[in-house]
Amino acid sequence: MKEGPDIARIGTLIGDPARANMLTALMGGQALTATELAQAAGVTLQTTSSHLSKLEDGGLISQRKQGRHRYFALADTQTGALLEAIMGFAASRGHLRHRPGPKDPALRKARVCYDHLAGDYGVRMLDSLIASGAIRADGTELSLTPEGKRRLSEVGITLTAPTSSRRPLCKSCLDWSERRSHLAGVVGKALLAHFLGKGWARRSDDSRAVLFKPEGERMFLSLFPAGPTAPDA
Amino acid sequence: MKEGPDIARIGTLIGDPARANMLTALMGGQALTATELAQAAGVTLQTTSSHLSKLEDGGLISQRKQGRHRYFALADTQTGALLEAIMGFAASRGHLRHRPGPKDPALRKARVCYDHLAGDYGVRMLDSLIASGAIRADGTELSLTPEGKRRLSEVGITLTAPTSSRRPLCKSCLDWSERRSHLAGVVGKALLAHFLGKGWARRSDDSRAVLFKPEGERMFLSLFPAGPTAPDA
DNA sequence: GGAATGCTTCGGCTACGATCGAACTATGAA
DNA sequence: TTCATAGTTCGATCGTAGCCGAAGCATTCC
């Protein structure tokens, strides 16, 4: 009777409604913060923290620290496949829940991530910068090349005293809507500031969305042409 | 946040140790009485009765009255496949509840997976069938070739009305101890029944292990020679 | 009929774990 | 420095689910 793998442990982890909600939210493939997961699960941050550590101990999720944020994601594709299988089984037995409303497409297109650009456009921008040789990706590390420095000054971006701050020039940041990295750091901040300062885009009043004007969108797309999609850092 | 299938319900059902023990016992493929399941789970009959009604409500098991007995079994092969998948996942995360005891090697060598053969021998059998051209692997899909059909009838296995059932002839099932696929489906079931019927092997009384007799083992090994290890389906 | 077996239902006990408030740590911004 | 945000840890509460004893059906055997 005490043979084989401990399925009860996996079952218990998935069996709590709050944890199931978190895992379901993570099935989107996006890495989410604890705060976002708390909202998804409908519990407080303290409770969420407890659940997340249990899920991590159980090997269902993994976390990635990034500044004062912690991004949580499913541990691997095998975990996603398992959840998918259980969902399929539950559906086949008629165990369904309710349905909510849609999400804001503008947020997914372009939004502010603290101080830099995220979303589809943010990911596209980093891809393009890497493809054109302005930024060199070495694992998770990003570094600005001389060529990149030249291009920035061409556009009119001057970097203020790089050594004064401990903050790195370039940094990769995980994108929750795209599940890929976008550009953070001093350069990322400067680029977003540039777009806003030039009037290419403006921030939404009631959300983190960045709304591009038609001409700004044209400028952005020509400045960062979509190259061959690079593998994510 | 409340979208999609209710995986928490399935998780809760599997998450209780007593219920997990019962389900594991039922993975042997045989229908068991409430008393037998109570023994397997290590709880009293009253408690078992409560668990069984929950499992039945959840669609994981079904019961069949027969005289003053009630036989409980897994609801269907899909349920068996789900449990096997969870076992594989749990094993991959190191969630094992056994202390490596004497029964363990026997289980890893050959065991019953609901209604077909699993373990080292199960994996070997499928490898051999594919290598000899009896079964064709196309991604995850397995199909019986005319050559395979011929070989089966040679051995004395006749498949009953293939079109009457929606159940596929051949199906791959992930093996938790080997982390590779073994043969499920109608053919997998028929082969196991053949081994047991011919007296090549017998089922262990107290576990899912399949115990081969020396001559049965010789027959098995000659029937399914180890070829070059094929990449897993 | 009565006794025995197989299982379910009822009721009360208990323990575990989910929950949140409050305090604490860490990172970033002004 | 001070303030704000993100998250963890601690402590206490509380609900629920698992558990078993006892009683209640149901079936079979004598």
Side-chain angles (χ1 to χ4, degrees), chain B residues 26-116:
Chain B
L26 290 174
M27 276 294 283
Q30 295 171 321
L32 300 175
T33 65
T35 306
E36 289 168 323
L37 288 168
Q39 202 167 16
V43 292
T44 62
L45 197 55
Q46 309 93 286
T47 304
T48 301
S49 180
S50 163
H51 284 313
L52 289 174
S53 68
K54 284 173 186 171
L55 287 173
E56 193 177 12
D57 286 346
L60 291 183
I61 65 172
S62 62
Q63 66 166 296
R64 199 174 115 195
K65 287 182 77 169
Q66 200 158 36
R68 59 179 162 184
H69 290 273
R70 291 193 181 193
Y71 285 96
F72 294 87
L74 295 184
D76 49 25
T77 56
Q78 194 190 359
T79 308
L82 178 71
L83 291 175
E84 186 74 13
I86 296 176
M87 284 183 185
F89 182 84
S92 77
R93 308 294 135 137
H95 301 325
L96 303 175
R97 45 179 190 170
H98 61 211
R99 21 197 103 204
K103 266 195 254 174
D104 197 53
L107 274 178
R108 292 181 179 274
K109 181 179 175 187
R111 68 176 177 278
V112 174
C113 177
Y114 191 43
D115 58 3
H116 54 271

Side-chain angles (χ1 to χ4, degrees), chain A residues 144-162:
Chain A
L144 191 66
T145 64
E147 160 71 10
K149 212 168 287 184
R150 194 185 57 74
R151 279 191 60 190
L152 282 182
S153 65
E154 251 184 35
V155 184
I157 295 178
T158 54
L159 300 177
T160 53

Side-chain angles (χ1 to χ4, degrees), chain A residues 1 3-12 14-15 21 40 58-60 76 78-79 87 89 93 95 97-99, chain B residues 1-9 11-12 14-15 21 40 58-60 76 78-79 87 89 93 95 97 207-208:
Chain A
M1 75 174 129
E3 68 187 44
D6 189 359
I7 60 172
R9 178 155 180 202
I10 304 296
T12 301
I14 299 175
N21 283 334
L60 291 184
D76 49 25
Q78 195 190 359
T79 307
M87 284 183 184
F89 183 85
R93 311 291 135 135
H95 303 321
R97 299 185 302 181
H98 228 288
R99 275 243 115 194
Chain B
M1 70 172 143
K2 298 225 169 169
E3 67 183 49
D6 189 358
I7 60 173
R9 180 157 178 200
T12 301
I14 298 174
N21 283 335
L60 291 183
D76 49 25
Q78 194 190 359
T79 308
M87 284 183 185
F89 182 84
R93 308 294 135 137
H95 301 325
R97 45 179 190 170
S207 81
R208 289 163 60 193

Side-chain angles (χ1 to χ4, degrees), chain A:
Chain A
M1 75 174 129
K2 299 235 168 167
E3 68 187 44
D6 189 359
I7 60 172
R9 178 155 180 202
I10 304 296
T12 301
L13 285 173
I14 299 175
D16 179 78
R19 284 195 291 264
N21 283 334
M22 295 177 192
L23 290 171
T24 302
L26 290 174
M27 272 298 283
Q30 311 146 353
L32 300 175
T33 65
T35 305
E36 290 168 323
L37 287 168
Q39 203 165 18
V43 291
T44 63
L45 196 55
Q46 307 95 285
T47 304
T48 301
S49 181
S50 164
H51 284 315
L52 288 174
S53 69
K54 284 174 186 172
L55 287 173
E56 194 176 13
D57 285 345
L60 291 184
I61 65 172
S62 62
Q63 65 168 297
R64 183 175 144 188
K65 285 184 78 169
Q66 201 157 27
R68 60 179 162 184
H69 290 274
R70 292 191 183 195
Y71 284 94
F72 294 87
L74 296 184
D76 49 25
T77 55
Q78 195 190 359
T79 307
L82 177 72
L83 292 175
E84 186 76 17
I86 297 176
M87 284 183 184
F89 183 85
S92 78
R93 311 291 135 135
H95 303 321
L96 297 175
R97 299 185 302 181
H98 228 288
R99 275 243 115 194
K103 299 215 162 166
D104 195 353
L107 272 179
R108 295 184 175 275
K109 181 179 175 186
R111 68 178 175 278
V112 173
C113 181
Y114 311 116
D115 57 4
H116 54 271
L117 188 65
D120 178 31
Y121 273 37
V123 170
R124 177 199 174 109
M125 184 172 77
L126 178 56
D127 281 349
S128 182
L129 286 169
I130 292 175
S132 68
I135 286 180
R136 201 161 54 84
D138 186 15
T140 333
E141 296 295 309
L142 299 179
S143 56
L144 191 66
T145 64
E147 160 71 10
K149 212 168 287 184
R150 194 185 57 74
R151 279 191 60 190
L152 282 182
S153 65
E154 251 184 35
V155 184
I157 295 178
T158 54
L159 300 177
T160 53
T163 53
S164 70
S165 167
R166 274 168 311 182
R167 192 173 178 197
L169 280 178
C170 294
K171 205 176 162 191
S172 80
C173 180
L174 200 60
D175 199 293
W176 64 257
S177 62
E178 298 293 317
R179 207 208 334 180
R180 306 203 35 235
S181 292
H182 57 245
L183 181 63
V186 172
V187 174
K189 178 176 182 177
L191 280 167
L192 175 60
H194 186 254
F195 305 149
L196 298 175
K198 285 281 189 182
W200 293 3
R202 63 178 182 84
R203 306 177 58 138
S204 165
D205 291 332
D206 54 354
S207 82
R208 288 159 59 192
V210 171
L211 308 170
F212 274 83
K213 296 173 185 171
E215 61 169 286
E217 186 149 346
R218 253 186 290 114
M219 294 295 284
F220 181 91
L221 293 178
S222 69
L223 202 56
F224 305 107
T229 303
D232 196 35

